[in-house]
Amino acid sequence: MIHVTILASGSSGNAILAKAGDTSILIDAGLSAKRLSALLADLETPAESLEGILLTHEHIDHTRGLKGLCAKKAIPVFTNPLTADSLRKGDTQAHWHFFASGAAFQVGDFNIHPFSVPHDAADPVGFVLRYESSSFAILTDLGHAPRQVVNATRGVNAVLLEANHDEALLQNDTKRPWSVKQRILSRHGHLSNQAAANFIAEIASPALRHVLLAHLSEDCNAPALATGTILEKLQATGNGHTQVHCPGAEGFPLPHTIGV
Ligand SMILES: [Zn+2]
Ligand SMILES: [Zn+2]
């Protein structure tokens, strides 16, 4: 079984702890190093015990604590070379381990498959983590879901998926200038609730037990709206067996853990 704990989700920071067998890994480090270290210690997985930190991309809401965590101990950081290059420009030194997007690799007991996603970063990826017969996909920060993303994730047991915004709420938002709205809505921006629902309908199978909704916009989305859109689609496509969680929302306080 893979134990997945969502430590943080959203534009203020993203970080996920995954444990299987004897291995603990962190996927993204978007909180401060101090906050991450405290959360990991509470979960009896001190930062020093991590076998690796995997990065989806270099944006600050995914890497805020990386420099601090790596300054304390040489935790291996698994990323592709272009993502590392942009972080190095920001003066982050780390014990880099490079993967090529599309080529699976092993970290301890985890088999990890990174795949490219369309987003406005250097070389952004999603991941499928596998351990024994369990599989868990991580898919945040993507403007749309092309065929290769659907193919990479179809049949997984659980998925953490971005449901960033409700399109109507975003269009009517008065805080964001037009250029920012265009960036979010673009094919290299973020997934709307409806786009997330359509994606789930494509990868749903009898094996899909959990959908964790992530990276919700505070102003342009609401947990009940996102969850409702996904549940409606799951039911309409005969996938009522799949549970939908919205970590951080009422009833799902952070950190939020599931077994996959
Ligand atoms: Zn992000
Ligand atoms: Zn991003």
Side-chain angles (χ1 to χ4, degrees), residues 10-14 28 56-57 59-62 119 140-142 162 164 183 190 215:
S11 47
S12 56
N14 297 276
D28 287 340
T56 57
H57 64 301
H59 288 163
I60 191 73
D61 57 318
H62 299 257
H119 186 56
T140 65
D141 297 61
L142 70 167
E162 165 171 76
N164 181 260
R183 188 227 140 203
H190 290 278
H215 221 297

Side-chain angles (χ1 to χ4, degrees), residues 102-122:
F105 58 97
Q106 200 76 21
V107 178
D109 291 324
F110 279 105
N111 178 264
I112 294 158
H113 177 213
F115 52 90
S116 292
V117 296
H119 186 56
D120 52 3

Side-chain angles (χ1 to χ4, degrees), residues 5-103:
T5 303
I6 313 306
L7 302 173
S9 171
S11 47
S12 56
N14 297 276
I16 304 156
L17 174 67
K19 292 185 179 199
D22 293 325
T23 306
S24 299
I25 56 175
L26 191 67
I27 301 94
D28 287 340
L31 296 175
S32 72
K34 194 178 164 192
R35 181 86 188 108
L36 276 174
S37 299
L39 283 168
L40 290 168
D42 284 350
L43 293 161
E44 291 169 10
T45 314
E48 300 75 47
S49 71
L50 294 172
E51 280 198 43
I53 300 174
L54 274 56
L55 299 178
T56 57
H57 64 301
E58 71 276 18
H59 288 163
I60 191 73
D61 57 318
H62 299 257
T63 57
R64 186 173 283 113
L66 187 69
K67 200 168 166 177
L69 283 181
C70 292
K72 275 211 303 191
K73 201 210 164 221
I75 306 166
V77 175
F78 293 84
T79 184
N80 50 40
L82 289 177
T83 301
D85 278 351
S86 17
L87 289 163
R88 281 199 199 107
K89 281 179 201 145
D91 205 27
T92 299
Q93 312 291 336
H95 203 63
W96 306 108
H97 288 242
F98 294 138
F99 59 72
S101 301

